Amino acid sequence: MVIKRTALRAQVREELLERMRSGAVHPGQTINEVQLAAELGVSRTPLREALISLETEGQIASESGRGFRFLPLSARELEELSPIIAALECLALELSPPEELAELGRNLLVLARDFKDEVAQHALINQRDDEWHTLMLSACPNGRLMDHLQSVRLALHRYESLLVHDEAMVARSSAEHEAIAQRLVDGDLAGAQAALRANWRNGARRLLQTLDFQTDRAS
């Protein structure tokens, strides 16, 4: 594939993600920047910008003097990330003004119910889920906490983007989101936190099932 001369960094990023999804590159494989730039028909500048962006997202890693390499998928990492983001989001709810959480809960309940499709494209579900969680945490005044949350969220997106194609039709967890929102409306912070932890735990389990399938297929 030759990259067009528009939005180069974004196109290079998407091409690298697609190669990871399709198995065209292998976990741990070193990235030859000179060769890759020639393959894609781009200069080193947009290529390095895309690589740095992917490193920030946790998709690839850099090593001093060795350049970039593709990261392997790890069931253990995915299992560890889920309780971390759940704990951070629960803390963000604790730090949010209670009166604002009730109003946010009402809006979140509407959003969860308005998105009625039980099965939808993975890209759309991811977009709606990100918007939903962002709104839920929008009253949290702790900027440093929100930065940490974004970092962990990007690491989780690595698994979502590599294991499930954007166009794939997948089931939604609407009931889990409605449960969180209803408890916020009721002023039940502990209940909302418990429902939130369950949402992340179940989401990780669903991805782990996909990861097991990918591993079995590769063996």
Side-chain angles (χ1 to χ4, degrees):
M1 172 182 179
V2 176
I3 298 296
K4 298 178 182 178
R5 309 300 298 184
T6 58
L8 289 179
R9 178 174 63 181
Q11 290 188 65
V12 171
R13 175 185 174 278
E14 287 304 315
E15 172 64 14
L16 292 176
L17 284 174
E18 181 54 35
R19 291 186 181 198
M20 287 187 272
R21 292 188 192 107
S22 65
V25 297
H26 306 291
Q29 179 178 329
T30 300
I31 298 172
N32 185 322
E33 294 183 42
V34 175
Q35 178 181 336
L36 185 56
E39 286 179 17
L40 301 179
V42 300
S43 69
R44 294 282 295 279
T45 298
L47 173 59
R48 285 197 65 83
E49 289 175 348
L51 292 174
I52 291 170
S53 175
L54 288 170
E55 183 183 28
T56 301
E57 297 172 19
Q59 305 277 10
I60 63 176
S62 63
E63 298 177 341
S64 179
R66 296 188 176 183
F68 295 90
R69 65 180 178 85
F70 295 103
L71 287 172
L73 296 176
S74 164
R76 178 175 179 178
E77 180 187 18
L78 182 54
E79 288 176 325
E80 291 176 347
L81 286 171
S82 174
I84 291 173
I85 193 168
L88 292 175
E89 288 199 346
C90 285
L91 177 57
L93 289 180
E94 279 185 31
L95 298 176
S96 301
E99 64 278 6
E100 293 188 40
L101 285 180
E103 180 61 29
L104 286 173
R106 285 187 280 272
N107 293 331
L108 292 167
L109 198 55
V110 171
L111 289 176
R113 290 172 176 170
D114 279 352
F115 189 19
K116 295 182 175 60
D117 296 336
E118 290 303 318
V119 176
Q121 280 193 343
H122 183 247
L124 177 59
I125 289 178
N126 268 354
Q127 176 189 340
R128 293 291 186 93
D129 189 67
D130 277 351
E131 292 171 351
W132 197 92
H133 282 261
T134 298
L135 176 60
M136 179 183 67
L137 305 177
S138 61
C140 178
N142 192 312
R144 182 64 63 88
L145 172 58
M146 301 309 292
D147 288 342
H148 282 303
L149 265 168
Q150 180 62 13
S151 175
V152 179
R153 184 173 288 116
L154 288 173
L156 278 168
H157 282 337
R158 169 177 174 250
Y159 283 87
E160 293 169 346
S161 64
L162 295 184
L163 293 175
V164 188
H165 282 272
D166 286 345
E167 297 80 11
M169 303 299 287
V170 296
R172 292 181 57 239
S173 54
S174 56
E176 295 174 8
H177 288 88
E178 286 187 31
I180 299 167
Q182 187 60 60
R183 283 160 178 77
L184 290 175
V185 171
D186 297 339
D188 180 7
L189 177 61
Q193 290 172 318
L196 182 57
R197 285 190 290 268
N199 174 235
W200 282 112
R201 183 171 58 251
N202 292 337
R205 189 188 69 247
R206 288 186 285 266
L207 275 177
L208 279 168
Q209 291 171 347
T210 307
L211 180 56
D212 288 343
F213 170 74
Q214 296 280 339
T215 303
D216 291 342
R217 186 175 63 179
S219 59

